[in-house]
Amino acid sequence: MGAQMESWDAERADRAVTVLKAVADPSRYRLLWALSGAELPVSALAELLGAHVAATSQHLAKLRSAGLVTSRRDGTRIFYRAAGPGVRSLLEEASVVALAASAEGVASAPAAAEGAAPVRAVRRARAPRPVAE
């Protein structure tokens, strides 16, 4: 292991897994994405998901317990926002990793119009490969 490798203990790994589990739901991912750009009330978030306020509140409770969102009350309304800029970075990184994983299959498939953009994005995210002569 290199000298720059951070130590990784069980407690830190457990916290990371808790965060990943909280994000590992399409509705919660969408909520976090919206909240990483704005503070929004539960009603607006429920509308964004096309879900009931109660179901949206349950998702938000999971995100809050994982430390990914914070809330504040204004009268009878509760507003949520991402806990910090690291939340948006987490979502973007997950998107890059997912894109790279899916592009592996796209790159080996026949050239499809939809496949062009993901392959370009992956090339920016990866180190260049040596060209065989």
Side-chain angles (χ1 to χ4, degrees):
M1 289 188 192
Q4 293 180 336
M5 183 80 154
E6 280 188 51
S7 65
W8 193 262
D9 60 32
E11 183 180 330
R12 186 173 178 180
D14 288 345
R15 286 193 313 261
V17 168
T18 298
V19 166
L20 293 172
K21 283 181 180 179
V23 179
D25 176 273
S27 294
R28 290 193 294 270
Y29 187 95
R30 289 178 62 204
L31 288 172
L32 277 177
W33 189 265
L35 293 171
S36 68
E39 181 182 66
L40 296 166
V42 177
S43 58
L45 293 167
E47 187 175 322
L48 174 101
L49 292 181
H52 292 286
V53 169
T56 303
S57 292
Q58 288 180 351
H59 284 303
L60 290 165
K62 284 190 179 205
L63 294 171
R64 188 174 51 243
S65 71
L68 294 170
V69 298
T70 60
S71 62
R72 71 172 177 88
R73 182 177 292 275
D74 185 6
T76 59
R77 298 177 84 185
I78 300 175
F79 290 82
Y80 287 86
R81 67 182 171 280
V87 172
R88 182 63 167 239
S89 298
L90 171 68
L91 300 176
E92 289 173 348
E93 194 64 29
S95 179
V96 167
V97 170
L99 186 60
S102 67
E104 292 298 322
V106 171
S108 64
E114 295 89 18
V119 171
R120 271 197 306 274
V122 169
R123 285 190 188 129
R124 278 186 271 131
R126 291 184 174 175
R129 292 183 178 160
V131 177
E133 294 187 35

